[in-house]
Structures are given as structure tokens and as C-alpha cells.
Amino acid sequence: MNFIKSKGLGILLCFLIALPSWLLGKQFPIVGGAVIAILLGMIITLFWNNKGKAQSGIQFTSKYILQSAVVLLGFGMNLSVILETGRESLPIIIGTISTSLIVAWILHKIMRIPGNISTLIGVGSSICGGSAIAATAPVIDADDNEVAQSISVIFLFNAMAALFFPIFGKIIGFSHINGHSFWNLCRNSD
């Protein structure tokens, strides 16, 4: 009962942001529910500075529920497919993750970005965005502000990619391959 009193309001608020964000994300998959949730959270924070009783529940949701969701996401993966795909693409995976982490480290040094933030952005850029950040944050003892900043940067990158990659693809000739739309080709390869 004490748990509900101390954390219930914040958990309810997060749920009230998550549910419509998820539904809108299904309607607008190019934007996604996570980006919509972040935007809603930013808008709410503009008008609601003193979270008071809700703060404890918000922190609980951002730490434990989000981390649990990342773990549960792993249960939906087919291990044999992962092993087969991983074996074939392991050099590419190692190369892209290494490059992203090295670039994040270099930018950390040049731009004096805090270490935890650069690590989280590097991991989020190279692995799988917000999920990777949520999984890495407790390992490196990142605080809530560092996690929020890193996730915001990654989702800004995602939004920019959603806008500019199709344009860039068309410029370099990926708009049509043998009379088929590049996007249909990608969709059919799944």
C-alpha cells in the first residue's frame, strides 16, 4: 500500500503518456511511439516544473519498468536466427559498433561532452537506440539527466534520419532498383 502511495501517481502519469504514444506510434510508424512519448513528456515538463509526489513513480518507471521491458524484448527473439545472422554479419556488427564508440569517445574529448553521455550516445547510435541506453545506464551508473539527454539526442538523430535518408537515397540512386521501389525491396527482404 505504501508503494502505491509513493509511486502510483508517477507510474500512472507515465502510463497515460505511454498508451496514447504507443497508439499514435502505430498510426505513424515513421515517427514511432518512443519519439511521441518523449515529445509529450517534454511538453508536460514545460508546464509542470514541480513534480512533487509523482517524481518517485517517474524514476521507478524510468529505471525498473524500462529496464524490465528491454529484458522482455529479448525474449521475443529467435536464438537460432540470431546465431545464423550474427555469424554472417559479425564483422560488420563489430565494425559499426566500434566505429560508433570510437567517434563518441573522440567527440567526448574534442567537445568536452560528459563521459557517461558520450558512452550512452555511442551505444545508442550503434546498437538499438533507447533500449541500449536503458540497458547500459545502470552499468555505468548514469543518472536520470544523463539518460534523458542521451535518449533525446538519439531520438533527434532518428527523426533526422527518417527525414533525410529517403532524400539521400533518392539522390544516390536508391529510389528505384530494376523498376521496383527501393523501399518495397527492403520490406520484401524481411
Side-chain angles (χ1 to χ4, degrees):
M1 189 57 121
N2 197 19
F3 176 83
I4 293 173
K5 269 187 179 177
S6 65
K7 297 182 179 20
L9 182 61
I11 293 171
L12 178 65
L13 174 66
C14 291
F15 178 76
L16 292 175
I17 292 172
L19 185 60
S21 299
W22 174 69
L23 293 171
L24 285 170
K26 289 182 138 327
Q27 295 297 314
F28 305 101
I30 196 161
V31 177
V35 173
I36 294 168
I38 287 174
L39 292 174
L40 284 174
M42 290 168 58
I43 291 168
I44 290 170
T45 299
L46 284 174
F47 301 105
W48 188 26
N49 294 328
N50 183 11
K51 294 173 187 62
K53 293 180 180 180
Q55 186 65 37
S56 176
I58 293 169
Q59 288 176 334
F60 177 81
T61 303
S62 69
K63 288 190 185 230
Y64 300 107
I65 293 178
L66 183 60
Q67 290 172 13
S68 300
V70 171
V71 170
L72 292 173
L73 187 63
F75 285 124
M77 297 180 169
N78 184 332
L79 192 55
S80 63
V81 172
I82 292 170
L83 292 175
E84 181 65 29
T85 305
R87 187 169 12 112
E88 294 172 3
S89 59
L90 187 61
I92 295 169
I93 293 169
I94 291 171
T96 55
I97 291 173
S98 299
T99 301
S100 181
L101 292 174
I102 290 168
V103 168
W105 182 79
I106 290 169
L107 291 175
H108 154 69
K109 292 294 185 184
I110 292 172
M111 299 174 71
R112 293 186 172 96
I113 298 169
N116 281 351
I117 293 175
S118 68
T119 300
L120 292 172
I121 291 172
V123 168
S125 297
S126 63
I127 300 173
C128 62
S131 300
I133 291 171
T136 305
V139 174
I140 64 171
D141 290 327
D143 65 30
D144 292 340
N145 288 334
E146 293 169 330
V147 172
Q149 288 176 16
S150 302
I151 287 176
S152 297
V153 168
I154 292 303
F155 285 121
L156 174 65
F157 290 168
N158 289 346
M160 290 171 51
L163 294 173
F164 294 118
F165 280 7
I167 296 167
F168 181 66
K170 188 169 185 151
I171 290 170
I172 63 173
F174 282 162
S175 62
H176 289 85
I177 298 175
N178 294 334
H180 296 293
S181 164
F182 174 70
W183 308 117
N184 288 335
L185 182 67
C186 290
R187 202 174 10 191
N188 293 335
S189 68
D190 288 343

